[in-house]
Coordinates of all heavy atoms in Angstrom, one line a residue:
K1 N -4.5 10.3 5.9 CA -5.3 9.1 5.7 C -4.6 8.2 4.6 O -4.3 8.7 3.5 CB -6.7 9.4 5.3 CG -7.5 8.1 5.0 CD -8.9 8.4 4.6 CE -9.6 7.1 4.4 NZ -11.0 7.2 4.0
I2 N -4.3 7.0 5.0 CA -3.6 6.1 4.1 C -4.5 4.9 3.7 O -5.1 4.3 4.5 CB -2.3 5.5 4.7 CG1 -1.4 6.7 5.1 CG2 -1.6 4.5 3.8 CD1 -0.2 6.2 6.0
K3 N -4.5 4.7 2.4 CA -5.4 3.6 1.9 C -4.5 2.6 1.1 O -3.7 3.1 0.2 CB -6.5 4.1 1.0 CG -7.4 3.1 0.4 CD -8.6 3.7 -0.3 CE -8.2 4.7 -1.4 NZ -9.3 5.3 -2.1
I4 N -4.6 1.3 1.3 CA -4.0 0.3 0.5 C -5.0 -0.4 -0.3 O -6.0 -0.9 0.3 CB -3.2 -0.7 1.4 CG1 -2.1 0.1 2.2 CG2 -2.6 -1.8 0.6 CD1 -1.4 -0.8 3.3
Q5 N -4.8 -0.5 -1.6 CA -5.7 -1.2 -2.5 C -5.0 -2.4 -3.0 O -3.8 -2.3 -3.4 CB -6.2 -0.4 -3.7 CG -7.2 0.6 -3.3 CD -7.8 1.3 -4.6 OE1 -7.2 1.3 -5.6 NE2 -8.9 1.9 -4.5
Y6 N -5.7 -3.5 -3.1 CA -5.1 -4.7 -3.7 C -6.1 -5.5 -4.5 O -7.3 -5.4 -4.3 CB -4.5 -5.6 -2.6 CG -5.6 -6.3 -1.8 CD1 -6.0 -7.6 -2.2 CD2 -6.2 -5.7 -0.8 CE1 -7.0 -8.2 -1.5 CE2 -7.2 -6.3 -0.1 CZ -7.6 -7.6 -0.5 OH -8.7 -8.2 0.2
L7 N -5.6 -6.3 -5.5 CA -6.5 -7.2 -6.2 C -5.6 -8.3 -6.6 O -5.1 -8.4 -7.8 CB -7.2 -6.6 -7.3 CG -8.3 -7.5 -8.0 CD1 -9.3 -8.0 -7.0 CD2 -9.0 -6.8 -9.2
H8 N -5.3 -9.2 -5.7 CA -4.4 -10.3 -6.0 C -4.7 -11.4 -4.9 O -5.0 -11.0 -3.8 CB -2.9 -9.8 -5.8 CG -1.9 -10.8 -6.3 ND1 -1.4 -11.8 -5.4 CD2 -1.3 -11.0 -7.4 CE1 -0.5 -12.5 -6.1 NE2 -0.4 -12.1 -7.3
P9 N -4.6 -12.7 -5.2 CA -5.0 -13.7 -4.2 C -4.2 -13.6 -2.9 O -4.8 -13.8 -1.9 CB -4.6 -15.0 -5.0 CG -4.7 -14.7 -6.4 CD -4.3 -13.2 -6.5
E10 N -3.0 -13.3 -2.9 CA -2.2 -13.2 -1.7 C -2.2 -11.7 -1.2 O -1.6 -11.4 -0.2 CB -0.8 -13.6 -1.9 CG -0.6 -15.1 -2.2 CD -0.7 -15.4 -3.7 OE1 -0.2 -14.5 -4.5 OE2 -1.2 -16.4 -4.0
G11 N -2.9 -10.9 -1.8 CA -2.9 -9.4 -1.5 C -3.3 -9.1 -0.1 O -2.8 -8.2 0.5
I12 N -4.3 -9.8 0.5 CA -4.8 -9.4 1.8 C -3.7 -9.6 2.8 O -3.6 -8.8 3.7 CB -6.1 -10.1 2.1 CG1 -6.7 -9.5 3.4 CG2 -5.9 -11.6 2.2 CD1 -7.0 -8.1 3.4
T13 N -3.0 -10.7 2.7 CA -1.9 -11.0 3.7 C -0.8 -9.9 3.6 O -0.5 -9.3 4.7 CB -1.3 -12.3 3.5 OG1 -2.3 -13.3 3.6 CG2 -0.2 -12.6 4.5
Q14 N -0.3 -9.6 2.5 CA 0.7 -8.6 2.3 C 0.2 -7.2 2.7 O 0.9 -6.5 3.3 CB 1.3 -8.6 0.9 CG 2.5 -7.9 0.7 CD 3.3 -8.2 -0.6 OE1 2.7 -8.6 -1.5 NE2 4.6 -8.0 -0.6
S15 N -1.0 -6.9 2.3 CA -1.6 -5.6 2.6 C -1.7 -5.4 4.1 O -1.4 -4.4 4.6 CB -3.0 -5.5 1.9 OG -2.8 -5.4 0.5
S16 N -2.1 -6.5 4.8 CA -2.3 -6.4 6.2 C -0.9 -6.2 6.9 O -0.8 -5.5 7.9 CB -2.9 -7.7 6.8 OG -4.2 -7.9 6.3
E17 N 0.1 -6.9 6.4 CA 1.4 -6.7 7.0 C 1.9 -5.2 6.8 O 2.5 -4.6 7.7 CB 2.4 -7.7 6.3 CG 2.2 -9.1 6.7 CD 2.9 -10.1 5.9 OE1 3.7 -9.7 5.1 OE2 2.8 -11.3 6.2
F18 N 1.7 -4.7 5.6 CA 2.1 -3.3 5.3 C 1.3 -2.4 6.2 O 1.8 -1.4 6.7 CB 1.9 -3.0 3.8 CG 3.0 -3.4 2.9 CD1 2.8 -4.2 1.8 CD2 4.4 -3.1 3.2 CE1 3.8 -4.6 1.0 CE2 5.4 -3.5 2.4 CZ 5.1 -4.3 1.2
A19 N 0.0 -2.6 6.3 CA -0.8 -1.7 7.1 C -0.3 -1.7 8.6 O -0.3 -0.7 9.2 CB -2.3 -2.2 7.1
A20 N 0.0 -2.9 9.1 CA 0.5 -3.0 10.5 C 1.8 -2.2 10.6 O 2.0 -1.5 11.6 CB 0.7 -4.4 10.9
E21 N 2.7 -2.4 9.7 CA 4.0 -1.6 9.7 C 3.7 -0.1 9.6 O 4.4 0.6 10.4 CB 4.8 -2.1 8.5 CG 6.2 -1.5 8.5 CD 7.2 -2.2 9.3 OE1 6.9 -3.3 9.8 OE2 8.3 -1.7 9.5
L22 N 2.9 0.3 8.8 CA 2.6 1.8 8.7 C 2.0 2.3 10.0 O 2.3 3.4 10.4 CB 1.6 2.0 7.5 CG 2.3 1.9 6.1 CD1 1.2 1.9 5.0 CD2 3.3 2.9 5.8
K23 N 1.0 1.6 10.5 CA 0.4 2.0 11.8 C 1.4 2.1 12.9 O 1.4 3.1 13.7 CB -0.7 1.0 12.2 CG -1.9 1.1 11.4 CD -3.0 0.1 11.8 CE -4.2 0.1 11.0 NZ -5.2 -0.9 11.4
D24 N 2.4 1.2 13.0 CA 3.4 1.2 14.0 C 4.4 2.3 13.8 O 4.7 3.1 14.7 CB 4.1 -0.2 14.0 CG 5.2 -0.2 15.1 OD1 4.9 0.0 16.2 OD2 6.4 -0.5 14.7
K25 N 5.0 2.4 12.6 CA 6.0 3.3 12.3 C 5.5 4.8 12.2 O 6.2 5.7 12.6 CB 6.7 3.0 11.0 CG 7.4 1.7 11.0 CD 8.7 1.7 11.7 CE 9.4 0.4 11.9 NZ 10.5 0.1 11.1
L26 N 4.3 5.0 11.7 CA 3.8 6.3 11.6 C 2.9 6.7 12.8 O 2.4 7.8 12.8 CB 3.0 6.5 10.3 CG 3.8 6.2 9.0 CD1 2.9 6.3 7.8 CD2 5.0 7.1 8.9
K27 N 2.7 5.8 13.7 CA 1.9 6.1 14.9 C 0.5 6.6 14.5 O 0.0 7.6 15.0 CB 2.6 7.1 15.8 CG 4.0 6.7 16.2 CD 4.0 5.5 17.0 CE 5.5 5.2 17.5 NZ 5.8 3.8 17.4
T28 N -0.2 5.9 13.6 CA -1.5 6.2 13.2 C -2.4 5.0 13.1 O -1.9 3.9 12.8 CB -1.5 7.0 11.9 OG1 -2.9 7.4 11.6 CG2 -1.0 6.1 10.8
E29 N -3.7 5.2 13.3 CA -4.6 4.1 13.1 C -5.4 4.3 11.8 O -6.2 3.5 11.4 CB -5.6 4.0 14.2 CG -5.0 3.5 15.5 CD -4.5 2.0 15.4 OE1 -5.2 1.2 14.8 OE2 -3.3 1.8 15.8
D30 N -5.1 5.4 11.1 CA -5.8 5.8 9.9 C -5.2 5.2 8.6 O -4.8 5.8 7.7 CB -5.8 7.3 9.8 CG -6.9 7.8 8.9 OD1 -7.8 7.0 8.4 OD2 -7.0 9.1 8.6
V31 N -5.2 3.8 8.6 CA -4.7 3.0 7.5 C -5.8 2.0 7.2 O -6.2 1.3 8.0 CB -3.4 2.3 7.8 CG1 -3.0 1.5 6.6 CG2 -2.3 3.3 8.2
T32 N -6.3 2.1 5.9 CA -7.4 1.2 5.5 C -6.9 0.3 4.4 O -6.0 0.6 3.7 CB -8.7 1.9 5.1 OG1 -8.3 2.8 4.0 CG2 -9.2 2.7 6.2
I33 N -7.6 -0.9 4.3 CA -7.3 -1.8 3.2 C -8.6 -2.1 2.4 O -9.6 -2.3 3.1 CB -6.8 -3.1 3.7 CG1 -5.5 -2.9 4.6 CG2 -6.5 -4.1 2.6 CD1 -5.1 -4.1 5.3
E34 N -8.5 -2.0 1.1 CA -9.7 -2.3 0.3 C -9.3 -3.0 -1.0 O -8.2 -3.0 -1.4 CB -10.5 -1.1 0.0 CG -9.8 -0.1 -0.8 CD -10.6 1.2 -1.0 OE1 -11.2 1.7 -0.1 OE2 -10.7 1.7 -2.2
I35 N -10.3 -3.7 -1.6 CA -10.1 -4.4 -2.9 C -10.1 -3.3 -3.9 O -10.9 -2.5 -4.0 CB -11.1 -5.4 -3.1 CG1 -11.0 -6.5 -2.1 CG2 -11.0 -6.0 -4.5 CD1 -12.1 -7.6 -2.2
G36 N -9.0 -3.3 -4.8 CA -8.9 -2.3 -5.8 C -9.6 -2.8 -7.1 O -10.1 -3.9 -7.2
P37 N -9.7 -1.9 -8.1 CA -10.4 -2.1 -9.3 C -9.6 -2.9 -10.4 O -10.2 -3.3 -11.3 CB -10.7 -0.7 -9.8 CG -9.6 0.1 -9.3 CD -9.2 -0.5 -8.0
Q38 N -8.3 -3.0 -10.2 CA -7.5 -3.6 -11.3 C -6.8 -4.8 -10.9 O -6.2 -4.9 -9.9 CB -6.5 -2.5 -11.8 CG -5.9 -2.8 -13.1 CD -5.2 -1.5 -13.7 OE1 -5.2 -0.5 -13.1 NE2 -4.5 -1.7 -14.8
K39 N -6.8 -5.8 -11.8 CA -6.2 -7.1 -11.5 C -4.7 -6.9 -11.3 O -4.0 -6.1 -12.0 CB -6.4 -8.1 -12.7 CG -5.9 -9.5 -12.5 CD -6.2 -10.4 -13.6 CE -5.7 -11.8 -13.3 NZ -6.0 -12.7 -14.4
S40 N -4.2 -7.6 -10.4 CA -2.7 -7.6 -10.0 C -2.2 -6.3 -9.4 O -1.1 -6.1 -9.3 CB -1.9 -8.0 -11.2 OG -2.2 -9.4 -11.5
E41 N -3.1 -5.4 -9.1 CA -2.7 -4.1 -8.5 C -2.5 -4.2 -7.0 O -3.0 -5.0 -6.3 CB -3.8 -3.1 -8.8 CG -3.5 -1.7 -8.2 CD -2.3 -1.0 -8.8 OE1 -1.2 -1.6 -8.7 OE2 -2.4 0.1 -9.4
F42 N -1.5 -3.4 -6.6 CA -1.3 -3.1 -5.2 C -0.9 -1.6 -5.2 O 0.1 -1.2 -5.8 CB -0.1 -3.9 -4.7 CG 0.3 -3.6 -3.3 CD1 -0.3 -4.2 -2.2 CD2 1.2 -2.6 -3.1 CE1 0.0 -3.8 -0.9 CE2 1.6 -2.2 -1.8 CZ 1.0 -2.8 -0.7
A43 N -1.8 -0.8 -4.7 CA -1.6 0.6 -4.8 C -1.7 1.2 -3.4 O -2.5 0.7 -2.6 CB -2.6 1.3 -5.7
V44 N -1.0 2.3 -3.1 CA -1.1 3.0 -1.9 C -1.4 4.4 -2.1 O -0.9 5.1 -3.0 CB 0.3 2.9 -1.1 CG1 0.2 3.6 0.2 CG2 0.6 1.4 -0.9
F45 N -2.4 4.9 -1.4 CA -2.8 6.3 -1.5 C -2.6 7.1 -0.2 O -2.9 6.5 0.9 CB -4.3 6.4 -1.8 CG -4.7 5.7 -3.2 CD1 -4.8 4.4 -3.3 CD2 -4.9 6.5 -4.3 CE1 -5.1 3.8 -4.5 CE2 -5.2 5.9 -5.5 CZ -5.3 4.6 -5.6
V46 N -2.2 8.3 -0.2 CA -2.2 9.2 0.9 C -3.1 10.3 0.6 O -2.9 11.1 -0.4 CB -0.7 9.6 1.2 CG1 -0.7 10.6 2.4 CG2 0.2 8.5 1.5
D47 N -4.1 10.5 1.5 CA -5.1 11.6 1.3 C -5.6 11.5 -0.2 O -5.7 12.6 -0.9 CB -4.5 13.0 1.6 CG -4.1 13.1 3.1 OD1 -4.8 12.5 3.9 OD2 -3.1 13.8 3.4
E48 N -6.0 10.3 -0.6 CA -6.6 10.1 -1.9 C -5.7 10.3 -3.1 O -6.1 10.2 -4.3 CB -7.9 10.9 -2.1 CG -8.9 10.6 -1.1 CD -9.4 9.2 -1.1 OE1 -9.6 8.6 -2.2 OE2 -9.7 8.6 0.0
V49 N -4.4 10.6 -2.9 CA -3.4 10.7 -4.0 C -2.5 9.5 -4.0 O -2.0 9.1 -3.0 CB -2.5 12.0 -3.7 CG1 -1.4 12.0 -4.8 CG2 -3.3 13.2 -3.7
Q50 N -2.5 8.8 -5.2 CA -1.7 7.6 -5.3 C -0.2 7.9 -5.2 O 0.3 8.8 -5.9 CB -2.0 7.0 -6.7 CG -1.3 5.6 -6.8 CD -1.7 4.9 -8.1 OE1 -2.9 4.7 -8.3 NE2 -0.7 4.6 -8.9
V51 N 0.4 7.2 -4.3 CA 1.9 7.4 -4.0 C 2.7 6.2 -4.4 O 3.9 6.3 -4.5 CB 2.2 7.8 -2.6 CG1 1.5 9.2 -2.3 CG2 1.7 6.8 -1.6
F52 N 2.0 5.0 -4.7 CA 2.8 3.9 -5.1 C 1.8 3.0 -5.9 O 0.7 2.8 -5.5 CB 3.3 3.0 -3.9 CG 4.2 1.9 -4.4 CD1 5.5 2.1 -4.6 CD2 3.6 0.7 -4.7 CE1 6.3 1.0 -5.1 CE2 4.4 -0.4 -5.1 CZ 5.8 -0.2 -5.4
S53 N 2.3 2.4 -7.0 CA 1.5 1.4 -7.8 C 2.5 0.3 -8.2 O 3.5 0.5 -8.8 CB 1.0 2.1 -9.0 OG 0.5 1.1 -9.9
R54 N 2.1 -0.9 -7.8 CA 2.9 -2.1 -8.2 C 2.9 -2.2 -9.7 O 3.9 -2.6 -10.3 CB 2.3 -3.4 -7.6 CG 3.2 -4.6 -7.8 CD 2.5 -5.9 -7.6 NE 1.6 -6.2 -8.7 CZ 2.0 -6.6 -9.9 NH1 3.2 -6.8 -10.2 NH2 1.1 -6.8 -10.9
L55 N 1.8 -1.9 -10.4 CA 1.7 -2.0 -11.8 C 2.7 -1.1 -12.5 O 3.3 -1.4 -13.5 CB 0.3 -1.8 -12.3 CG -0.7 -2.9 -11.9 CD1 -2.1 -2.6 -12.4 CD2 -0.3 -4.3 -12.5
E56 N 2.8 0.2 -12.0 CA 3.7 1.1 -12.6 C 5.1 0.8 -12.2 O 6.0 1.0 -13.1 CB 3.3 2.5 -12.1 CG 2.0 3.1 -12.6 CD 1.6 4.4 -12.0 OE1 2.4 5.0 -11.3 OE2 0.5 4.8 -12.3
Q57 N 5.4 0.4 -11.0 CA 6.8 0.1 -10.6 C 7.2 -1.3 -10.9 O 8.4 -1.5 -10.9 CB 6.9 0.3 -9.0 CG 6.6 1.7 -8.5 CD 7.6 2.7 -8.9 OE1 8.8 2.4 -8.9 NE2 7.2 3.9 -9.3
R58 N 6.3 -2.1 -11.3 CA 6.6 -3.5 -11.6 C 7.2 -4.3 -10.5 O 8.1 -5.2 -10.7 CB 7.4 -3.6 -12.9 CG 6.7 -3.0 -14.1 CD 7.6 -3.2 -15.3 NE 7.0 -2.5 -16.4 CZ 6.2 -3.1 -17.3 NH1 5.9 -4.3 -17.3 NH2 5.7 -2.4 -18.3
R59 N 6.8 -3.9 -9.2 CA 7.4 -4.6 -8.1 C 6.6 -4.2 -6.8 O 5.8 -3.2 -6.9 CB 8.8 -4.2 -7.8 CG 9.0 -2.8 -7.5 CD 10.5 -2.4 -7.3 NE 10.6 -0.9 -7.1 CZ 10.4 -0.3 -5.9 NH1 10.1 -1.0 -4.8 NH2 10.6 1.0 -5.8
F60 N 6.7 -4.9 -5.8 CA 6.1 -4.5 -4.5 C 7.2 -3.6 -3.8 O 8.4 -3.8 -3.9 CB 5.8 -5.7 -3.6 CG 4.5 -6.4 -4.1 CD1 4.6 -7.5 -4.9 CD2 3.3 -5.9 -3.7 CE1 3.4 -8.1 -5.4 CE2 2.1 -6.6 -4.1 CZ 2.2 -7.7 -5.0
P61 N 6.7 -2.7 -2.9 CA 7.6 -1.9 -2.2 C 8.2 -2.7 -1.0 O 7.6 -3.7 -0.5 CB 6.8 -0.8 -1.7 CG 5.4 -1.4 -1.5 CD 5.3 -2.4 -2.6
E62 N 9.3 -2.2 -0.5 CA 9.8 -2.7 0.8 C 9.1 -2.0 1.9 O 8.6 -0.8 1.7 CB 11.3 -2.5 0.9 CG 12.2 -3.2 -0.1 CD 12.1 -4.7 0.0 OE1 12.1 -5.2 1.2 OE2 12.2 -5.4 -1.0
A63 N 9.0 -2.5 3.1 CA 8.2 -1.9 4.2 C 8.8 -0.5 4.5 O 8.0 0.5 4.6 CB 8.2 -2.8 5.4
D64 N 10.1 -0.4 4.7 CA 10.7 0.9 5.0 C 10.5 1.9 3.9 O 10.3 3.1 4.1 CB 12.2 0.7 5.3 CG 12.5 0.0 6.6 OD1 11.5 0.0 7.5 OD2 13.6 -0.5 6.8
E65 N 10.6 1.4 2.6 CA 10.3 2.3 1.5 C 8.9 2.9 1.6 O 8.7 4.1 1.3 CB 10.5 1.5 0.2 CG 10.2 2.3 -1.0 CD 10.2 1.4 -2.3 OE1 10.2 0.2 -2.2 OE2 10.3 2.0 -3.4
L66 N 7.9 2.0 1.9 CA 6.5 2.4 1.9 C 6.3 3.5 3.1 O 5.6 4.4 2.9 CB 5.6 1.2 2.1 CG 4.2 1.4 1.9 CD1 3.9 2.0 0.5 CD2 3.4 0.1 2.0
V67 N 7.0 3.2 4.2 CA 6.9 4.2 5.3 C 7.4 5.6 4.8 O 6.8 6.6 5.1 CB 7.7 3.7 6.5 CG1 7.8 4.8 7.6 CG2 7.0 2.5 7.1
A68 N 8.6 5.6 4.1 CA 9.2 6.8 3.7 C 8.2 7.5 2.6 O 8.1 8.7 2.7 CB 10.5 6.6 3.1
I69 N 7.7 6.7 1.7 CA 6.8 7.3 0.7 C 5.6 7.9 1.4 O 5.1 9.0 1.0 CB 6.3 6.2 -0.3 CG1 7.5 5.8 -1.2 CG2 5.2 6.7 -1.1 CD1 7.2 4.5 -2.0
C70 N 5.0 7.3 2.4 CA 3.8 7.8 3.0 C 4.1 9.0 3.9 O 3.2 9.8 4.1 CB 3.1 6.7 3.8 SG 2.4 5.4 2.8
T71 N 5.3 9.1 4.4 CA 5.7 10.2 5.2 C 5.8 11.5 4.3 O 5.4 12.6 4.7 CB 7.1 10.0 5.9 OG1 6.9 8.8 6.7 CG2 7.5 11.1 6.7
K72 N 6.4 11.3 3.1 CA 6.5 12.4 2.1 C 5.1 12.8 1.5 O 4.9 13.9 1.2 CB 7.4 12.0 0.9 CG 8.8 11.8 1.3 CD 9.6 11.4 0.1 CE 10.9 10.8 0.5 NZ 11.6 10.2 -0.7
G73 N 4.3 11.7 1.3 CA 3.0 11.9 0.6 C 2.2 12.9 1.2 O 1.5 13.7 0.6

């Protein structure tokens, strides 16, 4: 199960694009998007374990990078 959290004005658009990419590349529909608790956050969780944080990395992931991270997660 993959969850994308965001709290940024443009976050829903970018989150939706990442979710579509993950669904396509990983052949799963189990990708959800929700509003996160922290301002300017963009975080990705696999089975409730955080695997990426924009605040920690100080950047957004590339789509292929996110697919690889979620595959390992």
Side-chain angles (χ1 to χ4, degrees):
K1 179 179 178 178
I2 300 169
K3 175 173 59 177
I4 299 172
Q5 284 187 342
Y6 73 94
L7 186 57
H8 188 273
E10 296 88 36
I12 188 62
T13 301
Q14 193 164 26
S15 296
S16 296
E17 291 170 0
F18 278 127
E21 184 82 12
L22 289 169
K23 287 178 181 181
D24 179 56
K25 298 282 172 105
L26 300 178
K27 306 294 186 223
T28 183
E29 290 297 316
D30 201 4
V31 180
T32 59
I33 302 170
E34 64 182 44
I35 295 175
Q38 196 167 353
K39 186 175 180 179
S40 296
E41 177 64 299
F42 175 89
V44 180
F45 297 81
V46 175
D47 296 328
E48 301 298 322
V49 176
Q50 185 174 303
V51 295
F52 186 89
S53 167
R54 189 199 73 77
L55 292 177
E56 291 175 8
Q57 298 289 323
R58 300 183 186 263
R59 65 180 177 82
F60 284 96
E62 297 293 325
D64 289 341
E65 174 188 18
L66 196 55
V67 170
I69 290 169
C70 289
T71 302
K72 292 178 195 173

